[in-house]
Amino acid sequence: MDAINNNGATAGRTHVERTTELELVVTRTFDAPPHIVFQAWSKPELFKRWWAPKSIGVPLLSCEMDVRTGGKYRLEFGLESGKTFEFYGKYLEVVPNVRIVWTNDEGAQGAVTTVTFEENGGKTNLVLRDVYPTKASLDEAMVSGATGGFEEQFAQLDEFLLTSA
């Protein structure tokens, strides 16, 4: 299947592709070693600094992450209306500097997300895979825009890694 973003095209250095009816794959190479990129994904104080796409104006109000196999996470976002919404789930597998696998339990049709960190000459090839339980649930995520923030999120992570080194 073709690489996509909100407009149906590849954007920047982040590659987003619907590979099957159930799977969305996002890839990007970061100019930092895997242990540094892994820390940005696994330490709440770092994760908060890059995760929420700035363009949508929805701040990440709280970030609770127990990044270990069997641990849980909860992310709370704020809306201009003063209301909040949460993303939460559990970590199914954590291999430091190599892989994090978690559930997305906030919806009835939540995906299982796997992020891998592969060393490549001092850089990190990162692959994020969202596997949805049904074709309809991935279709819905794509139509609602839930999958559209990856380009901005990964660009923010890239900037964070460059300015935090």
Side-chain angles (χ1 to χ4, degrees), residues 2-79:
D2 295 328
I4 56 168
N5 69 10
N6 283 342
N7 299 318
T10 300
R13 294 179 19 215
T14 301
H15 183 78
V16 181
E17 182 178 6
R18 184 173 184 164
T19 57
T20 70
E21 290 185 349
L22 303 179
E23 183 179 63
L24 186 74
V25 176
V26 185
T27 59
R28 185 168 179 140
T29 299
F30 293 95
D31 193 14
H35 74 277
I36 299 294
V37 181
F38 181 86
Q39 286 180 15
W41 282 83
S42 60
K43 293 189 174 192
E45 67 275 13
L46 302 180
F47 189 83
K48 279 179 69 169
R49 294 175 55 192
W50 66 269
W51 180 254
K54 293 175 184 169
S55 69
I56 62 172
V58 179
L60 180 52
L61 302 175
S62 70
C63 178
E64 300 169 14
M65 301 168 65
D66 180 11
V67 185
R68 61 180 176 81
T69 301
K72 295 182 180 182
Y73 73 92
R74 188 180 72 77
L75 309 174
E76 181 181 19
F77 295 86
L79 300 173

Side-chain angles (χ1 to χ4, degrees), residues 108-131:
Q109 298 292 319
V112 172
T113 302
T114 301
V115 177
T116 58
F117 310 86
E118 179 184 323
E119 201 282 326
N120 182 8
K123 298 182 180 187
T124 301
N125 294 335
L126 186 139
V127 178
L128 180 146
R129 294 180 190 281
D130 275 342
V131 178

